[in-house]
Amino acid sequence: MTDAVIILVIVVFLIFALKGSIKHFKGEGACCGGGSGSVKPKKPKKKKLDGPVVGRCTIRISGMHCQNCVNSVTSALNAIEGVSARVSLKEGSAEVSYDREVDETELKEAVEKAGFKVISIS
């Protein structure tokens, strides 16, 4: 009888863990410091560039799972002077516009400092 109760508790635990994992990878759960998951994370404000856009690039990023991840990458890139970023969780990328010359290394370091991996910059 005791064995049956222990097995039942383990099965219930595994069901909850599986449900949480599915929500996490769909970007619906509270991952990456997102809190309880009941409140939608605030999107960072769009950044306006001071001058005309002189260039654009696309950064392919791995490791983003939710809107909080997107917000972290967006904030990290927008913190660079002269850079404005639009990050897509679905595409796993950031579209970056800049109004002055920006070193790709600086963009890569900003994304990696936020905790994500840069696959490519084009």
Side-chain angles (χ1 to χ4, degrees):
M1 179 68 172
T2 305
D3 291 340
V5 172
I6 292 172
I7 290 172
L8 181 64
V9 169
I10 292 172
V11 167
V12 170
F13 177 76
L14 289 174
I15 289 170
F16 281 109
L18 181 62
K19 282 178 63 179
S21 294
I22 291 170
K23 284 179 77 174
H24 171 83
F25 287 109
K26 286 172 113 180
E28 298 170 354
C31 77
C32 311
S36 67
S38 60
V39 178
K40 279 196 159 187
K42 289 184 178 180
K43 288 188 175 185
K45 291 181 181 178
K46 275 191 167 182
K47 182 177 176 185
K48 282 285 245 181
L49 297 175
D50 295 332
V53 174
V54 297
R56 289 186 169 85
C57 69
T58 301
I59 305 173
R60 300 277 174 223
I61 303 165
S62 70
M64 295 189 300
H65 300 289
C66 67
Q67 187 61 42
N68 289 311
C69 298
V70 170
N71 295 348
S72 295
V73 172
T74 303
S75 295
L77 289 169
N78 285 347
I80 300 170
E81 190 68 33
V83 171
S84 175
R86 190 172 46 91
V87 181
S88 169
L89 177 62
K90 185 177 178 181
E91 302 294 324
S93 66
E95 299 296 326
V96 178
S97 302
Y98 39 92
D99 64 4
R100 61 196 75 176
E101 288 302 315
V102 178
D103 188 15
E104 286 184 0
T105 306
E106 189 176 3
L107 298 172
K108 182 178 179 181
E109 287 174 355
V111 172
E112 290 176 349
K113 190 173 182 181
F116 304 94
K117 183 178 180 192
V118 172
I119 298 170
S120 66
I121 300 177
S122 56

